[in-house]
Amino acid sequence: QVQLVESGGGLVQAGGSLRLSCARSGRTFSTYTMGWFRQAPGKEREFVAGISWSGSRTLYGDSVKGRFTISRDNAKNTVYLQMNSLKHEDTAVYYCASSSILATATRSYDMWGQGTQVTVSS
């Protein structure tokens, strides 16, 4: 059974950094676009970043540009989200997802992880 499993969330002070990881089981990881989304309480799920299957193209949400970096290691079936200069408003549950296209809409992604909590204290 193919799964996405996130890790690396936690509590960090404003201005700090965290790196999230998402491991995808299955042998076809390298053919999928991967994305990160987040959802804060009472808010809609928000696109954070996406990366093409080769890693040559990336997209970022406006609120994280210049602070977050998405990358992937196809040999390890893993996608990463390096988060720097964290702000209180980055607090959310972060989800990774896979898709056949590089897109920002949640409807474009058909497999989701269970999420990992990121809490940024101000």
Side-chain angles (χ1 to χ4, degrees):
Q1 183 178 358
V2 179
Q3 288 184 317
L4 299 176
V5 180
E6 302 97 335
S7 61
L11 174 64
V12 64
Q13 289 187 334
S17 299
L18 278 177
R19 188 176 82 155
L20 305 183
S21 300
C22 173
R24 185 184 192 277
S25 60
R27 296 175 293 176
T28 58
F29 174 81
S30 61
T31 66
Y32 286 91
T33 287
M34 298 298 296
W36 286 98
F37 290 77
R38 66 187 183 186
Q39 189 166 21
K43 295 187 177 181
E44 293 186 354
R45 193 165 294 191
E46 174 191 17
F47 174 78
V48 174
I51 187 166
S52 62
W53 66 269
S54 66
S56 61
R57 291 187 298 149
T58 57
L59 290 175
Y60 293 94
D62 288 342
S63 61
V64 306
K65 284 180 181 176
R67 300 187 298 122
F68 291 10
T69 303
I70 188 171
S71 61
R72 67 190 296 162
D73 185 337
N74 287 342
K76 296 182 178 180
N77 283 6
T78 301
V79 62
Y80 304 98
L81 184 68
Q82 178 67 43
M83 305 185 294
N84 298 330
S85 301
L86 283 161
K87 305 175 182 179
H88 177 66
E89 50 264 42
D90 294 318
T91 297
V93 177
Y94 283 71
Y95 300 89
C96 73
S98 65
S99 172
S100 59
I101 60 172
L102 183 58
T104 62
T106 55
R107 64 179 180 273
S108 298
Y109 292 78
D110 54 10
M111 182 177 293
W112 293 82
Q114 82 290 349
T116 185
Q117 176 70 46
V118 171
T119 302
V120 183
S121 62
S122 56

